[in-house]
């Protein structure tokens, strides 16, 4: 099965407090798998979660300071998540326990 | 918020993402979730029977974890422990009481029966192909098969056996000591080695080759034309494979399939996640005809009733899986699906009950 790699380069002019330029990585979900096991993002930076699979996914994290829950998202849903606290964020699909990855949020 | 411009280039999607204007929600002490956009995907699932069949090929070997590699000594010890009723406080129940080779490694009951012959809340799941499991129990509350092995032993409603009491009792059975020494040199008899032995044995319980496997390998006469149509429906109109995927027919996912049970299942461990309420782990379908009654609550007696449930879409509630919807299956299509499911049962070799240490 073709595994999409992250090939989406986003030039971001952030409306956040830093106003810094940053690259946003896209995490794909084809074949009930995240396209990356681990990604690093600068504090205040965003990751795009794109459901390019054929079924719904429920991407979320309960890691302290970076909690989020995208709910059940149909194929085609694309959502940015901005991480505010440094540390390792365990990201899962609540529906599919084999889907797990880490977002490393650094200063 | 300032708009963010973006340039999208995707080999697989060929999609252009709309401009993100800002964040739709924000909360203190949490990540910020932006507005969700819907992008057009170029879906390319497997098409054609041969491509589909390739997804169902049996694996050649059983996976064992690095921290509990297979040895014949562990498996032999584990088998004795698995069948030993002295692992329960009453000395009347073993692992095999509820996960019996006589019933497809379940118990043939709607719900399990525990200590004091009290009924449990859920159907005893099969242990067939547990080696491939990602997470354990109907509600996923245990992470490994080793953890799982110790769960029902200690559970008050099940075997009700505190581990210190159990190890004391096993220490009084002289023949167990050399078996533990052989399986776990220098580790001896501990709850940890007991769990490792039982888990190792459980991983050796694998569904044998069924008519379906012969068909996958190219024998066109191995299954009926009705069953072949059922396979096409399973992967097509009925969409069973969105959850029951791969050779063991599960992705270990959690779904509320709309059974009218009050049990919140996975929701107990994910209280804020709507789709986890009433969600239970998708069971594999191997040896399915030996495992009636069906579902987490044992509420459906026959495969025909199971198909009727999916055809109806079940109880429509916020937690219900987005994959559940009325299917509009004809009587012939339902019959074809059942015919297909019946091809997943093998001619299981009888399991010899072990002679136990005294």
């Amino acid at each position: 099965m073709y595994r999409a790699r992250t090939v989406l380069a986003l030039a971001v002019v952030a409306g956040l407090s830093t106003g810094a330029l940053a690259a946003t990585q896209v995490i794909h979900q084809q074949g009930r798998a995240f396209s990356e096991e681990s990604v690093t993002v600068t504090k205040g930076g965003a990751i795009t979660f794109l459901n390019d699979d054929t079924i719904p996914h429920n991407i979320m994290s309960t890691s302290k300071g970076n909690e989020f829950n995208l709910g059940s998202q149909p194929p085609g849903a694309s959502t940015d998540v901005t991480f505010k606290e440094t540390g390792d964020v365990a990201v899962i699909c609540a529906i599919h326990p084999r889907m797990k990855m880490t977002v490393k949020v650094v200063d | 918020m300032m708009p963010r411009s973006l340039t999208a280039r995707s080999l697989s999607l060929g999609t252009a993402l709309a401009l993100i204007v800002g964040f739709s929600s924000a909360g203190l002490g949490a990540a910020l979730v932006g507005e969700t956009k819907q992008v057009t995907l170029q879906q390319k699932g497997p098409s054609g029977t041969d491509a589909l069949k390739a997804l169902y090929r049996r694996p050649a070997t059983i996976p064992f974890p690095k921290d509990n590699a297979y040895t014949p000594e562990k498996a032999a010890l584990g088998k004795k422990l698995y069948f030993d009723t002295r692992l329960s406080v009453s000395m009347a129940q073993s692992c095999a009481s509820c996960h019996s080779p006589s019933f497809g490694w379940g118990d043939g009951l709607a719900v399990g029966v525990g200590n004091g012959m009290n009924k449990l809340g859920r159907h005893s799941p099969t242990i067939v192909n547990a080696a491939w499991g990602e997470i354990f129990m109907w509600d996923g509350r245990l992470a490994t098969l080793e953890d799982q092995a110790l769960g029902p032993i200690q559970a008050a409603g099940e075997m009700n056996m505190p581990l210190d009491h159990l190890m004391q009792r096993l220490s009084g059975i002289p023949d167990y000591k050399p078996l533990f020494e052989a399986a776990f040199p220098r580790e001896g008899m501990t709850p940890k080695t007991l769990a490792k032995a039982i888990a190792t044995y459980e991983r050796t319980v694998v569904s044998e080759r069924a008519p379906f496997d012969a068909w996958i390998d190219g024998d066109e006469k191995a299954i009926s034309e009705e069953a072949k149509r059922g396979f096409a429906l399973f992967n097509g109109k009925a969409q069973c494979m969105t959850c029951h995927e791969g050779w063991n027919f599960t992705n270990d996912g959690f779904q509320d399939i709309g059974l009218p049970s009050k049990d919140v299942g996975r929701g107990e461990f994910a209280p804020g996640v709507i789709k986890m309420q009433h969600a239970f782990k998708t069971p594999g379908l191997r040896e399915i005809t030996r495992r009636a009654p069906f579902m987490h609550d044992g509420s459906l007696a026959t495969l025909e009733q199971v198909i009727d449930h999916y055809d109806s879409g079940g109880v429509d509630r916020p937690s219900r899986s987005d994959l559940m919807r009325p299917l509009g299956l004809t009587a012939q299509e339902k019959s074809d699906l059942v015919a297909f499911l019946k091809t997943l049962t093998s001619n299981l070799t009888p399991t010899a009950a072990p002679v136990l240490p005294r």
Side-chain angles (χ1 to χ4, degrees), chain A residues 17-101:
Chain A
S17 56
T18 59
L21 281 168
T24 301
Q25 285 186 276
V26 177
I27 299 300
H28 301 263
Q29 299 161 40
Q30 281 185 3
R32 333 318 178 224
F34 287 123
S35 53
E36 304 287 342
E37 279 180 24
S38 178
V39 294
T40 301
V41 64
T42 309
K43 182 178 171 180
I47 298 280
T48 301
F49 291 94
L50 170 62
N51 182 359
D52 49 0
D53 204 358
T54 53
I55 55 173
H57 289 298
N58 191 143
I59 308 307
M60 61 174 290
S61 176
T62 56
S63 293
K64 198 167 171 12
N66 286 305
E67 299 91 340
F68 70 95
N69 176 14
L70 301 186
S72 181
Q73 293 197 310
S78 174
T79 310
D80 282 11
V81 176
T82 299
F83 297 93
K84 299 200 307 181
E85 302 289 337
T86 56
D88 285 359
V89 184
V91 177
I92 61 166
C93 172
I95 299 168
H96 301 105
R98 292 176 192 168
M99 293 176 68
K100 41 198 169 189
M101 65 169 296

Side-chain angles (χ1 to χ4, degrees), chain B residues 22 32 44 166 231 246 254 276 279 292 302 337:
Chain B
L32 296 173
K44 45 184 187 325
L166 173 58
F231 176 74
F254 297 94
M276 292 300 97
T302 65
L337 278 165

Side-chain angles (χ1 to χ4, degrees), chain A residues 1-2 4-5 7-16 24 26 28 30-32 46 48 50-56 58 60 63-85 92 94-100, chain B residues 1-13 15 17 20 23 27-41 43-46 55 132-135 239 241-243 245 250-255 266 270 272-276 321-323:
Chain A
M1 183 178 292
Y2 176 79
R5 303 291 294 178
V7 289
L8 201 58
L10 305 178
V12 179
V13 181
L16 301 173
T24 301
V26 177
H28 301 263
Q30 281 185 3
R32 333 318 178 224
T48 301
L50 170 62
N51 182 359
D52 49 0
D53 204 358
T54 53
I55 55 173
N58 191 143
M60 61 174 290
S63 293
K64 198 167 171 12
N66 286 305
E67 299 91 340
F68 70 95
N69 176 14
L70 301 186
S72 181
Q73 293 197 310
S78 174
T79 310
D80 282 11
V81 176
T82 299
F83 297 93
K84 299 200 307 181
E85 302 289 337
I92 61 166
I95 299 168
H96 301 105
R98 292 176 192 168
M99 293 176 68
K100 41 198 169 189
Chain B
M1 298 260 187
M2 288 174 63
R4 303 191 290 170
S5 65
L6 71 174
T7 306
R9 184 169 62 85
S10 170
L11 291 175
S12 63
L13 302 174
T15 55
L17 301 179
I20 302 169
F23 294 108
L28 290 173
L32 296 173
V33 174
E35 195 173 301
T36 294
K37 302 172 281 33
Q38 196 66 22
V39 302
T40 305
L41 301 174
Q43 302 283 14
K44 45 184 187 325
L55 302 175
W132 285 266
E134 174 65 24
I135 191 166
Q239 290 288 294
M241 87 323 176
T242 54
C243 300
E245 64 175 314
T250 179
N251 57 26
D252 282 343
F254 297 94
Q255 310 276 359
R266 184 66 171 159
V273 184
I274 292 168
K275 290 297 181 190
M276 292 300 97
S321 168
D322 293 336
L323 294 165

Side-chain angles (χ1 to χ4, degrees), chain B residues 39-254:
Chain B
V39 302
T40 305
L41 301 174
Q42 291 174 350
Q43 302 283 14
K44 45 184 187 325
S47 59
T49 304
D50 287 344
L52 282 172
K53 285 168 82 172
L55 302 175
Y56 292 93
R57 209 167 289 284
R58 294 174 67 95
T61 56
I62 302 173
F64 288 87
K66 279 183 189 153
D67 59 359
N68 191 19
Y70 174 83
T71 68
E73 291 81 9
K74 279 188 208 172
L77 170 61
K79 183 174 182 180
K80 289 180 191 295
L81 293 166
Y82 185 90
F83 282 89
D84 196 333
T85 51
R86 291 166 295 185
L87 265 63
S88 62
V89 75
S90 66
M91 296 206 238
Q93 282 201 303
S94 69
C95 305
S97 300
C98 295
H99 309 280
S100 163
S102 303
F103 293 103
W105 299 88
D107 59 14
L109 302 170
V111 294
V113 174
N115 189 47
M117 295 305 287
N118 289 317
K119 280 189 180 180
L120 302 171
R122 295 173 188 160
H123 183 66
S124 300
T126 183
I127 65 152
V128 164
N129 302 332
W132 285 266
E134 174 65 24
I135 191 166
F136 297 90
M137 315 301 277
W138 280 111
D139 55 20
R141 67 182 181 273
L142 296 174
T144 69
L145 202 48
E146 284 75 8
D147 292 341
Q148 192 280 328
L150 295 179
I153 292 173
Q154 299 174 84
E158 300 185 46
M159 293 159 83
N160 194 24
M161 189 62 166
L163 289 179
D164 53 351
H165 184 183
L166 173 58
M167 300 325 293
Q168 193 179 20
R169 185 185 281 171
L170 292 181
S171 301
I173 303 169
D175 289 352
Y176 261 125
K177 195 174 179 202
L179 295 174
F180 272 91
E181 287 299 331
F184 301 98
R186 295 176 300 282
E187 287 184 78
M189 198 183 289
T190 68
K192 192 176 174 184
T193 53
L194 174 121
K196 281 181 157 182
I198 293 173
T200 299
Y201 173 62
E202 288 181 311
R203 290 189 177 101
T204 68
V205 177
V206 177
S207 58
E208 294 176 36
R209 285 179 60 81
F212 174 74
D213 299 301
W215 180 63
I216 289 291
D217 288 348
D219 178 359
E220 282 301 317
K221 292 181 180 161
I223 67 173
S224 67
E225 292 304 314
E226 195 182 18
K228 289 176 196 173
R229 290 196 304 269
F231 176 74
L233 287 160
F234 187 90
N235 290 283
K237 182 177 177 182
Q239 290 288 294
C240 312
M241 87 323 176
T242 54
C243 300
H244 294 285
E245 64 175 314
W247 81 279
N248 192 31
F249 296 89
T250 179
N251 57 26
D252 282 343
F254 297 94

